[in-house]
Amino acid sequence: MAATQPFNKQTAYWGVPWEEAYGYPQARRSGNEIYVSGQFNHDEEGNLVAPAPLNADGKPSDFSSMGEQMRVSYDNISKLLALYGATLQDVVEETLYVLDMDAAFAVVGKVRKAAYGTERPQCASNIIGVSRLAQRPQLIEIACKAVIGARNI
């Protein structure tokens, strides 16, 4: 499913099972601000892209797909923002939640610069190491705030 706004123009959804189970939209607009819930490595059908292999304990055993998961997360953010006429250039703050800081730092500069289309993305950025994310094969999740028109300031 593509990102949609089935209930009203203020909220956006993917139509994936975890929205109903958890009870939340993927994005919400308030005035000129757009708050994007944590996005991760799923396609528009809810299938994981480049899932990390899991060990016997159900924990990721290989972090080499961090870059691809990060790229898909930014793609998902871009699709949600587009519903409001915004782009990644309107993002003013982002937070990356990662399972492995070393794996993230190995790819984050290249992936972020490509996603934002510039060598110096103009948004405040935080990166936080966590012990677990929602989907076990998930290595990264990105949440952000955008302000419509920020790219023109």
Side-chain angles (χ1 to χ4, degrees), residues 58-130:
K59 296 181 180 181
S61 59
D62 180 344
F63 296 89
S64 62
S65 61
M66 177 73 77
E68 181 62 8
Q69 288 194 20
M70 192 179 296
R71 185 195 64 73
V72 172
S73 300
Y74 279 116
D75 286 350
N76 287 343
I77 292 168
S78 292
K79 290 171 186 174
L80 290 166
L81 292 174
L83 294 173
Y84 302 99
T87 70
L88 281 171
Q89 286 69 40
D90 292 306
V91 173
V92 295
E93 183 179 24
E94 66 178 9
T95 301
L96 289 74
Y97 300 94
V98 300
L99 287 187
D100 185 278
M101 197 65 73
D102 292 331
F105 273 122
V107 298
V108 71
K110 180 179 177 182
V111 175
R112 280 185 80 249
K113 290 174 184 180
Y116 284 97
T118 181
E119 286 296 307
R120 292 199 176 250
Q122 297 297 298
C123 70
S125 184
N126 309 290
I127 187 167
I128 300 170
V130 297

Side-chain angles (χ1 to χ4, degrees), residues 23-47:
Y24 73 103
Q26 297 295 329
R28 175 157 174 80
R29 178 179 177 173
S30 177
N32 284 338
E33 298 178 340
I34 304 166
Y35 299 86
V36 179
S37 297
Q39 296 301 302
F40 57 97
N41 60 309
H42 65 82
D43 63 17
E44 292 183 3
E45 302 302 318
N47 303 304

Side-chain angles (χ1 to χ4, degrees), residues 10-26:
Q10 302 309 313
T11 56
Y13 298 83
W14 286 112
V16 291
W18 51 88
E19 291 169 344
E20 185 70 27
Y22 188 70
Y24 73 103
Q26 297 295 329

